[in-house]
Amino acid sequence: MKPSSLPGWVLSLACIASVIGTPAAAADIELQGRELVVSGMLDGGAIKPFIDHLASGTVRTVVFEDLSGGTADAAGAFADAIRASGVDTEIRGQCMAACAYAFLAGKTHRFGYGFQVNGILLPVAARPTAAELAVRWRGDEAHKTLADFTPATATTAGTATAKPVEASVPPAKDKDNWQPDHGVLFTASPTLFGRIYNAYYCDGTQGRDFSKCERLSDADPYKLGVLTP
């Protein structure tokens, strides 16, 4: 991981907080050449047009642009469609919770270029150990972690009383146990010397103040499989 600086990670967390604090709309899908740009929030109502676009054969990359979350069901549906089509995925801005699992389904998955701060928050049921981080989001195991948010697994993990999704997100199905503010957050901030990467564990108590999240060491998103070269 590249060395970090205080201004860099403060900028990242401030930008993320400002984006997440904005009320989310249903997913907006727009085809731009060979890119399918998805913004807003992943919801079940958008899955059919999303699949139709992928089935056309013209899409090379699905771009997630400032998505604030969604439900576990939507995450699984979008991820399955991406995995089946074999397209690449990219993040521009922020990709939180449900968006993060859909993003990992890409043949390659990377942060977009440009001067924006990019960030991805992957929800977890409990604080992962260093050993768990090393394998958690690699290969086929990435989509299996959605099981963390079914009642049986969540109860076993001691998270049966997870807090509800924020009011700006439509209610999930009863079987969902989605925790949009609880997870591992990776950020990339632009500087004059290239991008600075940082990682944090957020236990959900920080609300929208992500500067309260715990800084993680040796959590390079490339080494952990969250981003591909």
Side-chain angles (χ1 to χ4, degrees):
M1 183 180 293
K2 294 181 181 179
S4 61
S5 64
L6 182 61
W9 73 262
V10 169
L11 172 64
S12 297
L13 299 181
C15 290
I16 289 172
S18 66
V19 171
I20 297 182
T22 303
D28 181 45
I29 300 174
E30 181 181 356
L31 183 63
Q32 299 179 0
R34 303 298 297 275
E35 295 182 343
L36 187 60
V37 180
V38 183
S39 57
M41 183 194 69
L42 294 187
D43 65 318
I47 186 61
K48 187 181 185 305
F50 182 76
I51 291 176
D52 290 343
H53 276 299
L54 294 185
S56 70
T58 61
V59 177
R60 178 178 298 173
T61 304
V62 172
V63 178
F64 294 109
E65 186 171 46
D66 291 333
L67 272 89
S68 57
T71 68
D73 278 348
F78 276 80
D80 288 344
I82 290 170
R83 192 175 295 108
S85 64
V87 296
D88 300 326
T89 53
E90 179 179 308
I91 292 172
R92 294 177 191 165
Q94 315 310 319
C95 178
M96 302 293 159
C99 172
Y101 281 111
F103 166 75
L104 289 175
K107 184 177 181 181
T108 65
H109 31 94
R110 61 183 183 271
F111 279 159
Y113 300 106
F115 294 104
Q116 76 279 357
V117 174
N118 295 321
I120 178 171
L121 187 142
L122 297 110
V124 296
R127 190 189 192 287
T129 65
E132 289 170 340
L133 279 175
V135 298
R136 187 179 185 95
W137 297 300
R138 287 190 176 278
D140 292 338
E141 292 301 314
H143 71 278
K144 293 179 181 178
T145 56
L146 283 172
D148 288 348
F149 303 97
T150 60
T153 305
T155 301
T156 302
T159 58
T161 58
K163 63 181 180 178
V165 176
E166 64 265 36
S168 60
V169 179
K173 293 183 179 180
D174 290 342
K175 72 177 183 178
D176 283 346
N177 190 28
W178 208 240
Q179 302 177 74
D181 301 332
H182 179 195
V184 179
L185 172 68
F186 295 92
T187 67
S189 304
T191 72
L192 294 176
F193 307 100
R195 285 192 171 270
I196 291 177
Y197 294 87
N198 288 287
Y200 311 86
Y201 171 66
C202 304
D203 64 7
T205 62
Q206 77 286 335
R208 291 294 177 262
D209 186 359
F210 285 87
S211 65
K212 295 180 180 178
C213 296
E214 174 191 353
R215 180 86 171 278
L216 297 177
S217 60
D218 195 24
D220 188 313
Y222 289 99
K223 291 181 180 178
L224 300 181
V226 175
L227 300 179
T228 54

